[in-house]
Amino acid sequence: MTTRPSLLMIVPPGWGRFWEQPLTAGDIKLYIHGQDTYAPDAIDYALGFRPQPGFLKTLPKLKAVFSLGAGIDGFLSDPDFPKHVALVRFVDDTLSREMAQYVVLHVLIQHRGERTFAAAQREAKWRQAMLPRPTEAARIGMLGIGEIGTMAAERLRDLGFPVSGWSRTRKSLAGIKSFAGADELDAFLAQSDFLICLLPLTPDTRHILSAPLFAKLPKGAYVINVARGGHLVEADLIAALDSGHLAGATLDVFETEPLPETSAIWKHPKIIATPHVAAITSPHVAAKYVIDGIAAMERGEPLRNVVDFERGY
Ligand code: NDP
Ligand code: OXD
């Protein structure tokens, strides 16, 4: 008789109920941490987002860890993460699509002057205005042009915006200019009227969105951070907005989440803040992804989207 592989779901209290039904559709034995009793050495696979540091190393027979999200900084920040175990990112078109929608929405809110028209409506004022910039002059810079950045860049390109991407390695994407590596960062920034951060959070990218970088953007640039709060020095952003160098910002992610009620970000007139909702991983889609991944590994096939620990993403 063959035993079913076991999967431990490590999520905040209350989340388990969304995942239980889609996950048990697979040929696995599911345990929910904090809810079910299990022996640590009976766990083959784990699934989570930001597990308690040190916890995963207490599972001695782990074969692979699946991330609930595309970003895996919540695992790599654990100094005790068991690096002999494969860590798999969540990569899926439905997630990329929602992220691309969020990016397009916030570029358009700014580009089309939506907040000005909303204010005029509140005053019942008929105030017509031209676009602040013609679309072909509103240059988009994708800081990170991987799975999600590529889809967002293509959507914006198709709306008529000139789009560039910055990455570690050179890209060849139709109608999208590629800048690669630290040497080309300044040239990329100098031509980004919209700067959209879709980088992974690594030691190289932490606090990249800071005063020196903002100073290299054209005056009146708009910043969208949809990657991780750790990319941004919040005080530097507020200073660049208050000085008038930057026109505005949209933030979906924050150094401290939930964003404290006392944060100046909530009420800043030039910031749109959302509570880390640009894309929320669908339990049904992700459960199938995990079940398929486990089945592949059990058949001895390679896993897809495994994190390169050297690179940090
Ligand atoms: P990918 O790994 O597919 O893409 C990352 C991109 O960043 C790649 O283009 C990569 O370059 C580039 N990059 C990484 N390090 C550097 C560096 N040091 N210098 C230059 N470029 C670099 O990630 P995804 O697109 O899947 O996801 C991006 C991030 O989005 C996630 O890490 C996560 O933090 C965030 N996210 C946020 C969500 C939200 O709800 N707010 C939801 C989902 C994701 P190269 O292509 O050369 O490797
Ligand atoms: C992710 C996220 O990384 O939701 O997928 O932040």
Side-chain angles (χ1 to χ4, degrees):
M1 197 183 82
T2 55
T3 51
R4 288 184 300 162
S6 60
L7 171 69
L8 179 65
M9 171 109 209
I10 312 155
V11 281
W15 284 28
R17 67 196 151 97
F18 299 110
W19 291 83
E20 205 157 353
Q21 187 255 327
L23 279 172
T24 45
D27 192 17
I28 53 171
K29 173 84 189 99
L30 177 68
Y31 296 97
I32 298 183
H33 180 62
Q35 179 178 314
D36 300 322
T37 307
Y38 59 87
D41 63 359
I43 301 301
D44 299 311
Y45 298 93
L47 169 63
F49 190 50
R50 289 173 174 160
Q52 189 70 20
F55 176 72
L56 288 168
K57 79 162 185 202
T58 67
L59 306 172
K61 302 248 173 82
L62 266 187
K63 298 182 189 171
V65 176
F66 291 85
S67 167
L68 277 180
I72 41 73
D73 45 288
F75 294 91
L76 296 192
S77 57
D78 175 357
D80 291 322
F81 183 89
K83 289 203 173 155
H84 59 282
V85 173
L87 172 61
V88 180
R89 297 189 321 114
F90 181 55
V91 176
D92 185 82
D93 268 5
T94 60
L95 183 84
S96 301
R97 196 171 63 204
E98 281 187 30
M99 291 293 284
Q101 282 174 4
Y102 181 97
V103 168
V104 170
L105 172 70
H106 287 271
V107 166
L108 292 182
I109 286 173
Q110 173 67 5
H111 179 61
R112 306 281 320 201
E114 273 307 301
R115 296 185 101 193
T116 312
F117 294 124
Q121 181 177 358
R122 281 195 295 275
E123 294 170 39
K125 294 288 184 211
W126 185 269
R127 277 192 211 120
Q128 291 183 317
M130 304 273 285
L131 290 181
R133 282 190 190 96
T135 304
E136 57 280 10
R139 299 161 299 176
I140 309 277
M142 308 293 311
L143 200 54
I145 185 153
E147 296 288 342
I148 298 169
T150 298
M151 193 182 282
E154 290 174 343
R155 298 287 192 266
L156 289 161
R157 173 202 64 196
D158 293 349
L159 288 171
F161 292 96
V163 183
S164 304
W166 182 70
S167 43
R168 231 172 24 86
T169 56
R170 179 85 54 212
K171 305 289 169 203
S172 170
L173 296 163
I176 296 169
K177 192 167 173 194
S178 169
F179 291 82
D183 291 350
E184 296 183 11
L185 178 59
D186 288 3
F188 163 81
L189 295 171
Q191 51 95 76
S192 295
D193 299 308
F194 285 86
L195 183 73
I196 298 152
C197 181
L198 271 164
L199 289 165
L201 184 61
T202 68
D204 288 341
T205 67
R206 176 171 291 280
H207 289 166
I208 187 168
L209 301 175
S210 59
L213 177 144
F214 297 141
K216 291 172 186 158
L217 291 172
K219 185 167 165 45
Y222 192 90
V223 171
I224 298 179
N225 186 20
V226 75
R228 284 292 180 264
H231 287 120
L232 174 68
V233 179
E234 292 173 357
D236 288 5
L237 174 71
I238 290 177
L241 292 168
D242 291 347
S243 74
H245 181 62
L246 295 182
T250 290
L251 306 177
D252 183 53
V253 286
F254 304 91
E255 188 91 67
T256 304
E257 295 185 4
L259 182 63
E261 276 181 29
T262 51
S263 168
I265 287 175
W266 283 119
K267 297 211 170 118
H268 197 287
K270 293 184 177 170
I271 298 180
I272 298 177
T274 56
H276 201 147
V277 288
I280 293 181
T281 301
S282 149
H284 284 273
V285 177
K288 178 165 181 344
Y289 180 86
V290 172
I291 290 165
D292 289 351
I294 292 176
M297 189 150 185
E298 293 293 310
R299 288 193 299 267
E301 294 167 12
L303 287 166
R304 291 180 304 128
N305 304 314
V306 173
V307 172
D308 176 338
F309 292 123
E310 264 316 292
R311 237 176 31 165
Y313 64 101

